[in-house]
Amino acid sequence: GQQVQQSPASLVLQEGENAELQCNFSTSLNSMQWFYQRPGGSLVSLFYNPSGTKHSGRLTSTTVIKERRSSLHISSSQTTDSGTYLCALGGRNNNAPRFGAGTKLSVKP
Amino acid sequence: GPKVLQIPSHQIIDMGQMVTLNCDPVSNHLYFYWYKQILGQQMEFLVNFYNGKVMEKSKLFKDQFSVERPDGSYFTLKIQPTALEDSAVYFCASSLGNQAPLFGEGTRLSVL
C-alpha cells in the first residue's frame, strides 16, 4: 500500500487564514522533507525535518516519529502560497525518498 | 548554494527513438536519484544509484530504462525505445547520504 498519505488533497483558504497540512507514513522513518511545487513544476525545499519542530518565517514543520506523522503549518496565508505542497519520506538504509500525492492549496484574496 | 542541473529543460522526440536525460549532480554527492511525474499526478520514484550501481528501482523502471554515471560526469537516464507513456517530467536528485537530497528543476519529456 501507499507508504505516504497526505491530507487534505486540496484546501481553499481566504488570505490571512492558517493552514495545517498533514503527512502520515506507514514505514520507519529516516528522513522527512517538505516541498513546495511551483505551478511550473520545479521543487522548492521547505524543510528537512526527521523529528521535532522547525520554523521558517510563517512556516512550521513538526514531525512526531512515534505517531508516524508530520505536519506543515502555514500561518497568515497569502495568495502567493497557492500551489502544491509535497512531503517525502525517506526510509532507512539510504532508501530513496517516497513522495505523497500532495496537497493543492489555493489562497483567495 | 550547490545546485543539481538538468539538461535540457524540455525535450521532444518521436515514439520509438532513444533519449538520454542528463543530470549534473552536486560535485561531492554520492547518491543519485531519478523520479518521474506525469502532468497532474504524483511524483514517482524510479531508481537510485550509488557507487556505480543501481541500489533500488521501482516497477516503473522498465527494461527500456538504464542509468549510468561514467567517470563522475553526468548522471544519465536513457530510455530506449521510448513510448507515449514515457511523456512526463523527470527529476534528478543527489545527496551525500543521510542528508536531504537536492532536486533539479526537471526535464519535460514529450514523446510524440
Side-chain angles (χ1 to χ4, degrees):
Chain A
Q2 185 66 266
Q3 292 180 343
V4 186
Q5 299 275 3
Q6 284 192 249
S7 61
S10 63
L11 183 61
V12 179
L13 298 175
Q14 286 299 128
E15 197 167 28
E17 291 182 325
N18 300 333
E20 186 87 8
L21 281 53
Q22 297 288 343
C23 181
N24 293 281
F25 43 94
S26 57
T27 58
S28 60
L29 172 71
N30 193 42
S31 67
M32 170 58 70
Q33 204 167 355
W34 281 94
F35 294 89
Y36 169 71
Q37 187 163 38
R38 296 190 181 106
S42 60
L43 297 172
V44 178
S45 180
L46 299 175
F47 291 103
Y48 176 67
N49 185 17
S51 67
T53 298
K54 292 192 175 181
H55 303 277
S56 177
R58 294 182 294 106
L59 304 181
T60 301
S61 169
T62 300
T63 299
V64 184
I65 296 174
K66 279 196 299 189
E67 295 177 15
R68 297 200 166 179
R69 63 175 176 84
S70 182
S71 64
L72 177 68
H73 182 86
I74 305 172
S75 62
S76 304
S77 61
Q78 300 174 359
T79 55
T80 50
D81 295 331
S82 297
T84 300
Y85 291 81
L86 304 175
C87 67
L89 170 72
R92 298 196 178 274
N93 302 317
N94 291 314
N95 285 349
R98 281 357 189 233
F99 284 81
T103 293
K104 190 168 183 180
L105 175 66
S106 177
V107 181
K108 306 290 187 191
Chain B
K3 285 189 176 184
V4 173
L5 300 174
Q6 289 191 242
I7 307 146
S9 58
H10 191 182
Q11 188 145 7
I12 303 171
I13 59 167
D14 291 323
M15 184 178 63
Q17 284 189 318
M18 181 196 77
V19 69
T20 300
L21 306 183
N22 295 304
C23 172
D24 188 8
V26 177
S27 59
N28 62 337
H29 282 185
L30 302 173
Y31 292 82
F32 312 104
Y33 313 87
W34 282 105
Y35 290 80
K36 174 183 180 182
Q37 188 177 35
I38 293 172
L39 186 65
Q41 296 187 22
Q42 188 163 345
M43 182 86 75
E44 302 278 9
F45 165 71
L46 285 177
V47 65
N48 72 346
F49 190 83
Y50 169 74
N51 199 25
K53 288 183 280 199
V54 170
M55 299 299 291
E56 187 188 5
K57 60 183 179 179
S58 73
K59 287 185 286 191
L60 295 180
F61 193 77
K62 306 180 295 185
D63 291 342
Q64 297 90 328
F65 288 22
S66 62
V67 290
E68 63 175 357
R69 191 184 185 219
D71 300 323
S73 60
Y74 285 161
F75 175 50
T76 62
L77 173 65
K78 185 189 290 186
I79 309 174
Q80 181 178 28
T82 50
L84 293 176
E85 60 264 27
D86 296 331
S87 293
V89 180
Y90 290 84
F91 290 90
C92 171
S94 69
S95 77
L96 272 172
N98 280 337
Q99 291 184 10
L102 271 176
F103 281 79
E105 302 263 302
T107 292
R108 184 175 300 276
L109 177 65
S110 299
V111 182
L112 307 178

